[in-house]
Amino acid sequence: YTYDALAPYMSQETLELHHGKHVATYIKNLNELIQDTPYESVSLYEIINISADDKDNPNAQKIFNNAAQVFNHDFFFNGMCPDCGGNIPEEIANAFGGKDKFREQFKSAATSLFGSGYTWLVRDGNELKIINLPNADTPIAHNMKPILNLDVWEHAYYVDYQNRRGDFVDTYLNHLVDWDQVAENLKQ
Ligand code: MN
């Protein structure tokens, strides 16, 4: 979608900075870091999982951070659309004691994450969980299946919401989440 597609909930300026600058830099860095290495010929998923445990490579942490940020942002941007309807799936409502309780618990997690990172809805074994992971850390490095993620790095909301992270979380849950995509993610 275009950079103005999520306005007014997420402005064109935010998308230009967040996707056009931040994500573009992660992609550029990753491509430079893996050039002429074995990472060049494997999938993004494999880059993340191999670099997470690659004790021999002094660049492993940088590779992990940039690769995970590419995955995390793809997942984030693919999971949004403006007021596109859909409802919180029953499976999620049932797991958290109702739709309002899910929203409350997700917001509580997202507003309590200290510093940079993401709040995730994941499937861990058979259980749906809301978790916070710091910085670039990603559920796929912990054998958890991502269902939904909210980027709460300041670059995600500061232009539009300044210090009001809670308002950003409410807007995300009420206007930006593509619940049909979430339902697809639950099925996979
Ligand atoms: Mn971000």
Side-chain angles (χ1 to χ4, degrees):
Y1 44 78
T2 55
Y3 282 160
D4 62 354
L6 302 179
Y9 310 116
M10 198 177 278
S11 67
Q12 177 167 350
E13 186 183 3
T14 288
L15 267 284
E16 284 172 355
L17 291 165
H18 196 177
H19 191 273
K21 303 287 184 192
H22 288 277
V23 178
T25 300
Y26 295 127
I27 293 169
K28 180 173 177 285
N29 288 345
L30 180 62
N31 282 328
E32 286 172 5
L33 285 161
I34 66 173
Q35 197 172 6
D36 303 321
T37 77
Y39 287 106
E40 209 172 24
S41 56
V42 300
S43 70
L44 182 63
Y45 188 94
E46 289 169 308
I47 293 173
I48 290 166
N49 281 290
I50 296 167
S51 64
D53 202 28
D54 187 355
K55 308 276 186 261
D56 301 327
N57 187 331
N59 279 334
Q61 184 69 52
K62 281 186 201 163
I63 292 170
F64 176 87
N65 285 341
N66 284 282
Q69 282 293 63
V70 174
F71 175 84
N72 293 343
H73 282 100
D74 267 1
F75 200 86
F76 178 56
F77 286 117
N78 282 328
M80 289 188 290
C81 52
D83 283 329
C84 56
N87 275 308
I88 297 178
E90 289 303 323
E91 185 184 351
I92 295 175
N94 293 338
F96 294 94
K99 292 176 184 180
D100 288 343
K101 287 268 185 283
F102 167 73
R103 281 194 204 90
E104 270 171 38
Q105 289 175 54
F106 194 92
K107 182 178 181 183
S108 170
T111 51
S112 65
L113 193 164
F114 188 79
S116 294
Y118 298 77
T119 299
W120 296 86
L121 174 66
V122 297
R123 198 188 293 283
D124 184 12
N126 292 322
E127 206 182 338
L128 288 176
K129 292 179 180 170
I130 295 166
I131 61 167
N132 285 335
L133 292 175
N135 302 315
D137 200 5
T138 187
I140 63 175
H142 303 281
N143 287 316
M144 291 184 281
K145 189 181 151 27
I147 307 293
L148 170 76
N149 71 340
L150 174 59
D151 186 342
V152 292
W153 285 57
E154 283 187 346
H155 67 223
Y157 62 89
Y158 217 81
V159 168
D160 298 326
Y161 298 90
Q162 293 81 46
N163 61 318
R164 293 173 284 111
R165 190 191 284 185
D167 290 351
F168 172 56
V169 178
D170 285 336
T171 303
Y172 170 75
L173 290 172
N174 293 326
H175 298 286
L176 287 170
V177 177
D178 182 348
W179 293 110
D180 292 334
Q181 179 63 53
V182 170
E184 281 302 309
N185 295 344
L186 283 169
K187 278 187 219 155
Q188 283 169 14

